[in-house]
């Protein structure tokens, strides 16, 4: 039976010329697991918000949405509150109260349950989600993953029939994200709760879904099971193809009579099958289409950069020790690290190993108690603030919103150059026009169409790029980034990588901390593995990842028995072609 | 350190502190003062441990006591027993000295009780008590307690972000410092307001604003809560009745007059009831510790007698 049925639904925001959603027809069956995907800004969040009346934005609606056969508008708020559960993106913002137990009870309090029945439900939820250990804690003490789990649990306590999730893992690190997705699967499997979610981390969840819906430009493009959706995306050569799990991507380039795999396990069998029987061919057009992306336009603002010597490492840490207080344990332990000019260096490693602390040392937010840090061969402590941060280091904060001060994106960019007036000052002493520079930087960071918007109205990926653009206006020689790909969908990641390549061409050194193995494997020049306050190993991505057996890319895990050196999807395809 | 008395229902803890603090503030009888001081100090020992209690008290309360005790005879000159004269010609009397000491003791025991109150009556207990009366206020307190640490955290993130684009508030020209400071606050405000939209959505989607909201709490009023409440009420009544008969009267002006000493039956009952009341947390806790020990001994004995013959 259909739990939710969307019929000929269109929606447009007030005073918008283009409709945000047009003519959408979708059925969500009871107990099904639905994933809605699409690039940022395609209208998938708008669609989800239509499924719960209190969250629906203002605008013109056409068509009807039915919940259990009844129009949604005729279902009262009380029923909607309990029957339709909605989890949003940001884990922090959804939490209302100060204690974990109170948060769990919040929805039930609103619905007017008695203390004894709330006690029962809260106890049930705490046990099911494994919250007992932190039941009495303050919510501020929780990690991001725990917070999002709490949000989920507090909604599940109301026993909803359908669970709607709007990119729930975009703010979480990959380990917490995959834990969270496992929990969603478990809920769907154990309780039969219908799940409707938008998600950009398709790797884990894609094979499990019963239905995939691809939205493009406010229209439904594809609807079907994962395999069908994958084939359709390939046929249409759609951008979202890059978001598919690696086994599916690899299989798409291959012409063979084998059924295309969804998981790593299937993928291994698939490869061994086709390689041993040698009855396949590789489609070349696809490779050229997606995998060879080049950064195009140059960055004018960097043309006036004075050259620095090439031999010396641009960033160097020598025997650096750090701890947060005298009585605390060491976080960074005798770290030696040197980064060459013009390379993209990725530091990988688990949570709490001291990666972010290392970054804070490099950006002089914290100071080591032993050891030295050199930037361009000069001790970091000898730089003046202005000198250090306006011509050497550019630090892109993990949360881009901590940089936004103005009403529009354009003013935001001008603000870095000391206002929109064309006159030289301390902040700005180049011969180029400010206007020209800003147009150029907007083009390179691909925010040129957004200049008149408010920074907070941008999507996560766009905000990230605006923050990057602001930092680039300071003309840094070294760019430090903490988890730059967090919350970006794969299409944006690709664009982001293009920006990094452009910067690299201009001699900018890029140092980033990341959990994103796939991204690092594709775009880094060197990768380092961080563990227990120190660097365990570092190498170029191919040797780095082929040397690991767990901490490696999906493509490598899938193909390693045949092609141990193949790390990315592209590598695997190349190997397959050679083998043919 | 979690003690046993803290685990009772918030109503019990609240009633206890309300009674003890109010009574301590108004009674100046030396026996009462001694009882109250002794109980407050022992409860502090249980809650904070010896080291911390001594540190807190020697650093702050002891000097305070001395100052008050000395200040009183300096400024008050009533009483009949003149000891000496100040250079100004005013008399220093025995009565004012004694009263000063009594007042200092009272002041300090109230502080000690408040130290216990802080440890026992945590924010959620307080919210619970007032949530019964005003549910919206209790939610508001709870949201505020959530909001303040979050803002502080955001401010740190913003400060670091700004520092890394060379806009620090810790050095540079004063005008720049002010400009950057204002900028930071502006970022924080925008951030907080934007995030408040999410929070409002989250509240509404979980049915906030529907009629008939209830207030949930994790506290249960058990049999032991009822038992201790009855004991407390009986002790309180005994104390008030005993006190109202006037055999615990004390006066420091013009001469020191203390009733009830030497002990007679009535004053004895009154003192005892007050002592028991004030010592309740300590008694409860010590009894609990004793019981644990007894249980453990019992287990050891059984083990030795039973199957662990090889030990």
């Amino acid at each position: 039976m259909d739990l939710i049925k969307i019929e000929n639904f269109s929606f447009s925001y007030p005073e918008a010329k283009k409709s945000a959603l047009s003519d959408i027809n979708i059925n969500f069956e009871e107990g099904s697991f639905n994933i809605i995907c699409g690039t940022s800004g395609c209208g998938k969040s708008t669609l989800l918000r239509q499924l719960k009346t209190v969250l629906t934005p203002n605008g013109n609606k056409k068509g009807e949405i039915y919940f259990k056969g009844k129009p949604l508008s005729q279902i009262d708020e009380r029923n909607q509150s309990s029957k339709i559960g909605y989890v949003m993106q940001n884990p922090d913002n959804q939490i209302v109260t100060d204690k974990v137990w109170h948060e769990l009870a919040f929805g039930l309090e609103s619905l007017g349950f008695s203390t004894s029945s709330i006690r029962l439900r809260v106890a049930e939820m705490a046990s099911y989600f494994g919250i007992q250990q932190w039941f009495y804690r303050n919510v501020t003490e929780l990690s991001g993953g725990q917070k999002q789990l709490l949000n989920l649990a507090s909604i599940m306590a109301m026993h909803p029939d359908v669970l709607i999730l709007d990119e729930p893992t975009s703010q979480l690190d990959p380990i917490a994200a995959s834990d969270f997705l496992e929990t969603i699967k478990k809920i769907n499997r154990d309780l039969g709760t219908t799940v409707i979610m938008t998600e950009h981390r398709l790797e884990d969840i894609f094979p499990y879904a019963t239905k995939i819906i691809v939205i493009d430009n406010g229209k439904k493009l594809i609807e079907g099971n994962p395999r069908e959706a994958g084939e359709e995306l390939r046929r249409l050569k759609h951008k979202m193809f890059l978001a598919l799990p690696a086994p599916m991507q690899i299989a798409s380039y291959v012409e063979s009579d084998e059924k295309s795999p969804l998981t790593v396990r299937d993928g291994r069998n698939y490869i061994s099958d086709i390689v041993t029987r040698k009855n396949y061919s590789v489609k070349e057009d696809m490779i050229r289409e997606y995998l060879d992306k080049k950064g195009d336009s140059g960055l004018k603002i960097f043309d006036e950069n004075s050259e620095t010597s090439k031999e010396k490492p641009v960033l160097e840490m020598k025997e650096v020790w750090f701890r947060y207080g005298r009585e605390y344990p060491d976080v960074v332990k005798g770290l030696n690290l040197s980064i060459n000019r013009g390379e993209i260096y990725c530091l990988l490693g688990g949570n709490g190993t001291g990666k972010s602390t290392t970054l804070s040392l490099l950006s002089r937010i914290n100071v080591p108690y032993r050891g030295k840090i050199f930037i361009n061969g000069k001790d970091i402590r000898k730089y003046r603030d202005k000198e250090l941060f306006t011509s050497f280091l550019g630090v892109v904060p993990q949360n881009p919103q901590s940089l936004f001060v103005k009403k529009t994106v354009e003013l935001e960019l001008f603000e870095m150059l000391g206002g929109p007036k064309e006159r030289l000052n301390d902040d700005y002493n180049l011969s180029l026009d400010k206007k020209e520079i800003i147009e150029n930087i907007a083009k390179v960071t691909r925010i040129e169409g957004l200049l008149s918007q408010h920074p907070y109205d941008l999507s996560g990926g766009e905000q990230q790029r605006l923050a990057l653009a602001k930092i680039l206006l300071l003309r840094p020689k070294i760019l430090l980034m903490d988890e730059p790909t967090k919350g970006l969908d794969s299409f944006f990641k690709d664009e982001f990588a293009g920006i990094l390549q452009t910067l690299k061409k201009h001699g900018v050194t890029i140092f980033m901390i990341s959990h994103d193995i796939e991204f690092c494997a594709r775009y880094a020049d060197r990768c380092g593995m961080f563990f227990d306050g120190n660097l365990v190993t570092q190498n170029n991505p191919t040797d780095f990842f082929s040397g690991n057996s767990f901490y490696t890319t999906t493509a490598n895990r899938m193909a390693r028995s045949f092609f141990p050196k193949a790390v990315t999807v592209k590598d695997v395809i190349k190997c397959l072609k050679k083998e043919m | 350190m979690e003690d046993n008395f803290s685990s009772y229902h918030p109503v019990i803890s609240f009633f206890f502190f309300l009674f003890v603090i109010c009574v301590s503030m108004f009674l100046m009888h030396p026996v009462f003062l001694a009882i109250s001081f002794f109980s407050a100090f022992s409860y502090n020992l249980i809650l904070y441990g010896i080291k911390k209690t001594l540190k807190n008290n020697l650093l702050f309360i002891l000097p305070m006591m001395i100052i008050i005790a000395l200040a009183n005879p300096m400024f008050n000159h009533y009483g009949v027993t003149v000891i000496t004269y100040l250079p100004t010609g005013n008399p220093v009397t025995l009565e004012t000295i004694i009263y000063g000491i009594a007042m200092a003791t009272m002041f300090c025991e109230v502080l000690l009780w408040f130290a216990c109150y802080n440890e026992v009556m945590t924010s959620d207990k307080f919210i619970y008590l007032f949530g019964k009366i005003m549910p919206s206020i209790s939610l508001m307190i709870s949201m505020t307690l959530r909001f303040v640490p979050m803002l502080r955290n955001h401010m740190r993130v913003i400060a670091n972000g700004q520092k890394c684009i060379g806009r620090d508030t810790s050095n540079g020209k004063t005008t720049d410092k002010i400009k950057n400071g204002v900028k930071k606050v502006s970022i924080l405000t925008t951030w907080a307001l934007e995030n408040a939209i999410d929070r409002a959505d989250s509240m509404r989607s979980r049915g906030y604003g529907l009629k008939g909201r209830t207030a949930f709490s994790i506290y249960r009023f058990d049999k032991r809560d009822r038992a201790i409440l009855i004991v407390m009420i009986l002790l309180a009544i005994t104390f008030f009745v005993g006190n109202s008969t006037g055999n615990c009267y004390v006066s420091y002006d013009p001469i020191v007059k203390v009733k009830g000493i030497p002990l007679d039956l009535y004053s004895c009952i009154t003192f005892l009831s007050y002592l028991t009341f004030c010592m309740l947390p300590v008694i409860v806790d010590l009894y609990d510790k004793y019981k644990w020990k007894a249980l453990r001994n019992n287990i050891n004995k059984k083990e030795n007698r039973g199957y662990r013959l090889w030990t």
Side-chain angles (χ1 to χ4, degrees):
Chain A
M1 200 194 110
D2 291 338
L3 186 71
I4 295 181
K5 194 171 173 191
I6 306 175
E7 249 180 29
N8 303 327
F9 192 85
S10 302
F11 177 83
S12 60
Y13 286 101
E15 290 175 41
K17 287 169 213 127
K18 227 175 81 198
S19 56
L21 295 170
S22 50
D23 217 25
I24 296 214
N25 283 297
I26 307 172
N27 304 335
F28 297 108
E29 272 169 48
E30 211 158 342
S32 61
F33 196 111
N34 307 281
I35 295 176
I36 301 179
C37 43
T39 50
S40 304
C42 72
K44 50 189 197 303
S45 293
T46 314
L47 179 64
L48 286 191
R49 281 186 170 261
Q50 302 295 334
L51 302 179
K52 188 157 184 166
T53 311
V54 288
L55 298 178
T56 307
N58 264 336
N60 303 318
K61 272 185 262 182
K62 252 189 274 160
E64 195 63 75
I65 294 172
Y66 296 96
F67 181 73
K68 290 188 169 172
K70 246 168 107 183
L72 194 66
S73 48
Q74 285 174 25
I75 297 171
D76 63 350
E77 206 183 318
R78 186 172 296 269
N79 264 319
Q80 281 198 26
S81 300
S82 72
K83 292 298 164 211
I84 305 175
Y86 198 103
V87 180
M88 290 180 275
Q89 252 185 49
N90 192 315
D92 237 341
N93 294 351
Q94 293 173 68
I95 295 175
V96 178
T97 61
D98 64 329
K99 296 278 176 188
V100 171
W101 61 264
H102 199 181
E103 190 63 25
L104 279 174
F106 183 84
L108 300 168
E109 284 182 334
S110 307
L111 296 174
F113 279 79
S114 70
T115 303
S116 56
S117 51
I118 294 180
R119 180 166 292 132
L120 172 67
R121 291 229 190 153
V122 163
E124 235 184 354
M125 283 307 126
S127 331
Y128 188 80
F129 289 98
I131 292 178
Q132 307 96 309
Q133 280 84 358
W134 31 283
F135 189 67
Y136 290 104
R137 289 227 197 123
N138 284 331
V139 289
T140 25
E141 297 164 29
L142 306 182
S143 70
Q146 287 175 324
K147 278 179 187 160
Q148 196 65 310
L149 201 64
L150 173 62
N151 286 322
L152 180 65
S154 75
I155 279 157
M156 289 310 293
M158 298 196 284
H159 294 185
D161 289 336
V162 56
L163 192 58
I164 300 171
L165 304 111
D166 187 4
E167 302 205 356
T169 65
S170 68
Q171 308 284 317
L172 309 182
D173 68 69
I175 296 140
S178 79
D179 278 353
F180 185 81
L181 292 176
E182 281 307 315
T183 313
I184 304 279
K185 284 188 211 167
K186 194 174 141 201
I187 288 172
N188 179 256
R189 202 172 48 220
D190 294 359
L191 310 174
T193 311
T194 312
V195 174
I196 303 172
M197 70 189 295
T198 60
E199 178 60 43
H200 57 259
R201 285 176 47 87
L202 294 174
E203 203 92 335
D204 294 335
I205 202 99
F206 200 82
Y208 186 79
T210 50
K211 189 186 267 184
I212 305 285
I213 292 147
V214 181
I215 307 267
D216 192 31
N217 260 329
K219 290 195 186 72
K220 186 178 83 182
L221 191 72
I222 298 168
E223 181 177 357
N225 67 30
R227 200 163 266 128
E228 287 164 12
E231 310 232 303
E232 195 64 15
L233 279 175
R234 181 183 66 167
R235 196 179 62 76
L236 295 170
K237 295 186 179 170
H238 194 264
K239 288 185 251 185
M240 279 305 294
F241 177 78
L242 286 172
L244 293 180
M248 291 187 81
Q249 285 191 40
I250 291 172
S252 310
Y253 295 113
V254 177
E255 198 95 63
S256 88
D257 48 2
E258 289 289 321
K259 214 167 143 206
S260 86
L262 293 177
T263 60
V264 172
R265 191 182 51 195
D266 292 350
R268 291 182 81 115
N269 295 337
Y270 178 82
I271 289 211
S272 76
D273 270 359
I274 60 170
V275 171
T276 44
R277 283 164 51 200
K278 290 196 185 292
N279 60 346
Y280 66 95
S281 60
V282 174
K283 283 176 276 185
E284 287 209 48
D285 58 324
M286 293 289 288
I287 299 174
R288 228 166 277 130
E289 197 86 35
Y290 289 110
L291 297 177
D292 295 325
K293 206 157 187 129
K294 41 195 177 293
D296 34 7
S297 50
L299 259 173
K300 288 179 189 163
I301 193 167
F302 282 98
D303 291 346
E304 293 187 26
N305 254 359
S306 53
E307 285 294 304
T308 42
S309 58
K310 286 205 173 181
E311 308 87 59
K312 266 194 221 153
V314 71
L315 209 79
E316 215 176 356
M317 293 178 108
K318 278 184 180 163
E319 296 277 330
V320 168
W321 292 76
F322 178 76
R323 59 175 87 152
Y324 280 98
R326 220 173 73 96
E327 63 275 26
Y328 294 104
D330 284 320
V331 186
V332 175
K333 303 174 183 173
L335 175 64
N336 283 308
L337 178 73
S338 77
I339 291 156
N340 304 325
R341 188 171 180 276
E343 74 171 344
I344 301 181
Y345 189 99
C346 291
L347 198 58
L348 295 126
N351 277 338
T353 48
K355 291 188 316 256
S356 292
T357 309
T358 307
L359 195 79
S360 77
L361 292 175
L362 285 176
S363 53
R364 217 171 67 173
I365 288 171
N366 290 316
V367 180
Y369 71 88
R370 198 186 300 148
K372 276 187 178 160
I373 301 173
F374 295 98
I375 288 182
N376 252 347
K378 188 172 156 189
D379 195 327
I380 192 169
R381 284 171 296 186
K382 294 200 176 120
Y383 285 96
R384 281 184 306 116
D385 260 10
K386 198 121 204 162
E387 199 184 357
L388 184 66
F389 291 119
T390 51
S391 48
F392 282 106
L393 289 181
V395 186
V396 184
Q398 206 181 31
N399 195 327
Q401 293 175 347
S402 63
L403 288 181
F404 299 160
V405 273
K406 294 286 184 205
K407 275 200 291 279
T408 67
V409 171
E410 193 171 16
L411 290 175
E412 201 69 67
L413 293 174
F414 273 124
E415 190 249 359
M416 293 309 280
L417 302 175
K421 280 192 204 117
E422 294 288 352
R423 96 189 124 85
L424 301 180
N425 56 18
D426 292 350
D427 292 332
Y428 184 73
N429 49 14
L430 296 179
S431 57
L432 289 160
D433 275 358
K434 283 182 182 175
K435 188 105 192 144
E436 205 184 326
I437 283 180
I438 280 173
E439 271 166 14
N440 177 243
I441 209 118
K443 199 170 161 223
V444 172
T445 52
R446 305 203 170 86
I447 50 174
E448 67 263 48
L450 311 164
L451 287 178
S452 59
Q453 291 202 31
H454 192 280
Y456 274 87
D457 290 340
L458 306 181
S459 73
E462 289 162 350
Q463 286 187 350
Q464 192 85 43
R465 282 178 295 169
L466 174 57
L468 181 64
K470 284 194 76 164
I471 299 295
L472 288 182
L473 285 172
L474 295 170
R475 295 191 297 147
K477 293 194 183 72
I478 306 158
L479 203 56
L480 305 177
M481 289 186 281
D482 194 352
E483 289 283 347
T485 58
K486 188 162 114 179
L488 299 190
D489 63 33
S490 7
F491 175 65
F492 268 139
K493 267 186 211 169
D494 217 43
E495 287 209 327
F496 181 72
I499 299 169
L500 294 190
Q501 299 293 348
T502 314
L503 288 175
K504 198 179 140 187
K505 247 188 272 165
H506 286 276
V508 178
T509 312
I510 295 161
F511 175 82
M512 61 189 234
I513 289 173
S514 186
H515 276 113
D516 195 336
I517 296 173
E518 313 286 331
F519 185 85
C520 297
R522 278 177 74 173
Y523 302 110
D525 292 322
R526 276 200 302 162
C527 293
M529 175 83 165
F530 207 77
F531 179 74
D532 193 28
N534 215 327
L535 203 58
V536 181
T537 166
Q538 58 177 356
N539 219 326
N540 63 318
T542 312
D543 292 326
F544 179 84
F545 286 111
S546 56
N548 300 346
S549 47
F550 299 103
Y551 205 80
T552 180
T553 59
T554 320
N556 185 249
R557 270 181 284 153
M558 182 177 144
R560 67 182 312 142
S561 46
F562 288 93
F563 318 118
K565 289 274 171 190
V567 171
T568 62
V569 171
K570 195 177 168 183
D571 295 341
V572 176
I573 303 292
K574 272 188 188 157
C575 289
L576 277 174
K577 208 176 154 214
K578 234 183 266 165
E579 197 73 18
M580 204 155 67
Chain B
M1 206 159 49
E2 178 82 342
D3 73 315
N4 193 265
F5 186 71
S6 308
S7 68
Y8 280 81
H9 197 265
V11 166
I12 305 289
S13 324
F14 192 71
F15 177 53
F16 175 80
F17 284 110
L18 193 72
F19 180 88
V20 158
I21 291 173
C22 287
V23 167
S24 303
M25 273 198 285
F26 293 111
L27 292 186
M28 297 291 278
H29 195 284
V31 178
F32 285 147
L33 288 176
I35 289 172
S36 181
F37 187 88
F38 175 70
S39 323
F41 193 78
S42 3
Y43 196 24
N44 259 291
L45 282 180
I46 286 175
L47 286 174
Y48 293 103
I50 296 174
K51 214 167 139 194
K52 218 171 155 195
T53 316
L54 286 180
K55 202 173 126 199
N56 287 351
N57 298 331
L58 291 179
L59 266 177
F60 181 68
I61 292 182
L62 202 66
M64 202 75 170
M65 248 176 109
I66 294 167
I67 290 170
I68 296 176
L70 286 179
N72 195 49
M74 298 287 163
F75 300 103
N76 287 309
H77 312 291
Y78 54 77
V80 291
T81 330
V82 175
I83 295 171
T84 176
Y85 286 91
L86 290 171
T88 52
N90 281 323
V92 175
T93 63
L94 183 67
E95 282 79 12
T96 50
I97 291 176
I98 291 175
Y99 186 72
I101 292 168
M103 207 162 71
T105 318
M106 184 201 81
F107 185 75
C108 143
E109 78 196 20
V110 170
L111 282 182
L112 283 173
W113 280 126
F114 267 114
C116 300
Y117 174 90
N118 258 344
E119 189 70 15
V120 175
M121 290 297 286
T122 51
S123 64
D124 37 335
K125 286 187 185 171
F126 185 80
I127 290 169
Y128 163 73
L129 285 174
F130 290 90
K132 285 278 172 198
I133 314 162
M134 297 168 286
S136 55
I137 298 276
S138 81
L139 180 67
M140 220 169 76
I141 298 173
S142 171
M143 285 176 71
T144 316
L145 286 172
R146 153 108 189 91
F147 203 57
V148 172
M150 199 166 88
L151 279 189
R152 202 185 298 141
N153 200 15
H154 277 344
M155 195 62 195
R156 216 191 52 235
V157 173
I158 292 169
N160 281 345
Q162 291 292 311
K163 194 179 169 191
C164 289
I165 53 173
R167 289 178 187 164
D168 200 2
T169 39
S170 59
N171 51 34
K173 275 185 285 182
T174 317
T175 46
D176 285 347
K177 272 197 222 170
I178 293 171
K179 231 202 272 170
N180 294 339
V182 169
K183 210 166 254 173
K184 272 197 238 173
V185 174
S186 139
I187 296 173
L188 184 69
T189 320
T190 321
W191 195 343
L193 289 177
E194 280 292 329
N195 293 350
I197 298 173
D198 265 4
R199 189 161 303 112
D201 273 348
S202 153
M203 286 171 79
R204 287 213 65 189
S205 87
R206 281 186 284 165
Y208 184 74
L210 291 171
K211 276 209 181 90
R213 189 181 158 78
T214 49
F216 171 67
S217 79
I218 40 176
Y219 305 108
R220 268 191 318 199
F221 202 81
D222 293 334
K223 230 156 89 187
R224 61 168 195 159
D225 294 306
R226 207 173 309 137
I228 202 167
L229 186 65
I230 291 169
V231 171
M232 280 164 83
I233 290 173
L234 286 180
L235 287 172
I237 291 171
T238 323
F239 169 76
F240 278 123
V241 170
N243 212 10
S244 63
T245 56
N247 50 31
C248 301
Y249 176 78
V250 68
S251 149
Y252 296 94
D253 179 25
I255 52 161
V256 179
K257 215 165 110 189
V258 180
K259 274 201 176 178
I261 296 177
L263 293 170
D264 57 31
L265 184 64
Y266 287 112
S267 64
C268 189
I269 289 174
T270 317
F271 292 150
L272 259 182
S273 65
Y274 188 57
L275 178 69
T276 325
F277 193 100
C278 289
M279 290 297 278
L280 263 182
V282 179
I283 295 169
V284 164
D285 196 58
L286 289 183
Y287 177 67
D288 187 61
K289 282 202 179 109
Y290 162 76
K291 228 163 82 182
W292 269 105
K293 219 171 171 183
L295 279 174
R296 207 166 50 197
N297 285 343
N298 219 353
I299 292 168
N300 286 343
K301 252 185 249 156
K302 267 186 199 155
E303 270 182 11
N304 286 340
R305 224 184 308 129
Y307 32 87
R308 290 184 63 186
L309 290 168
W310 57 88
T311 52

